[in-house]
Amino acid sequence: MAGKCAVVVGAELPAGLAANAAGVLAVTLGHRVDGLVGVDVEDADGVAHPGIIHVPLPILTAPREAVAAIVRAAAEDDELFFVAFSALAQSCRTYEEYTARMAATATADLDSIGVALHGPRKRVDRLVGSLPLLR
C-alpha cells in the first residue's frame, strides 16, 4: 500500500483528549483504507501477533483553525481519504447519541478537533508537512 498517513489533533486539547482523538482516527483509518494494516506475524517462539500498520503514522498537532482548514482542503482533494473528528463526536457517550446529534448538526457547525489523512505523499505533505509532532 503506497501512500502516506498522518493524524492531526487540535493543539488546544488536553493530553487525554488528544490521545483519544488520535486513537479514534487511527482505528477508522485502519478500518477504511485497504491494505494499511499488515498481515499477522509470528515471533521466534511461534506466538501469533496481529498485523499492525506498515507505514509511519505521525501524530501531529495544529491549532483548531488549522485543523478545520486541513479538513476543508482534504474534502476538496479527490486523491485523499480523510476522516474528520469533531468536538461533538468526542462529547458523545454512545454511538446512538453521536448519530442522533450528527443528524441534527450542519457540516459547517462541526468543530473539527482532529483529522486523519491517507493519500499520495505530496498531497499529504502539502497539508501537514510543516506541522510539529504531538508531544
Side-chain angles (χ1 to χ4, degrees):
M1 159 73 36
K4 181 173 181 170
C5 295
V7 171
V8 182
V9 295
E12 302 84 356
L13 292 173
L17 293 180
N20 171 262
V24 169
L25 290 165
V27 166
T28 304
L29 196 64
H31 176 71
R32 297 292 301 272
V33 177
D34 289 336
L36 195 56
V37 175
V39 299
D40 294 351
V41 299
E42 286 188 5
D43 63 24
D45 296 321
V47 176
H49 300 270
I52 61 172
I53 189 170
H54 61 85
V55 296
L57 181 61
I59 309 300
L60 309 170
T61 187
R64 271 191 176 171
E65 310 82 52
V67 173
I70 293 166
V71 169
R72 288 190 301 274
E76 295 175 1
D77 189 332
D78 292 339
E79 291 190 53
L80 289 178
F81 173 78
F82 77 99
V83 182
F85 191 58
S86 65
L88 180 152
Q90 194 165 58
S91 71
C92 293
R93 309 279 286 165
T94 66
Y95 203 75
E96 292 75 21
E97 178 187 0
Y98 170 65
T99 58
R101 289 182 59 195
M102 284 293 285
T105 305
T107 303
D109 295 332
L110 293 173
D111 179 18
S112 295
I113 59 170
V115 61
L117 303 166
H118 175 267
R121 177 173 297 281
K122 287 183 181 182
R123 300 292 247 244
V124 174
D125 282 344
R126 178 175 52 88
L127 295 178
V128 303
S130 64
L131 299 178
L133 287 171
L134 175 67
R135 299 197 183 275

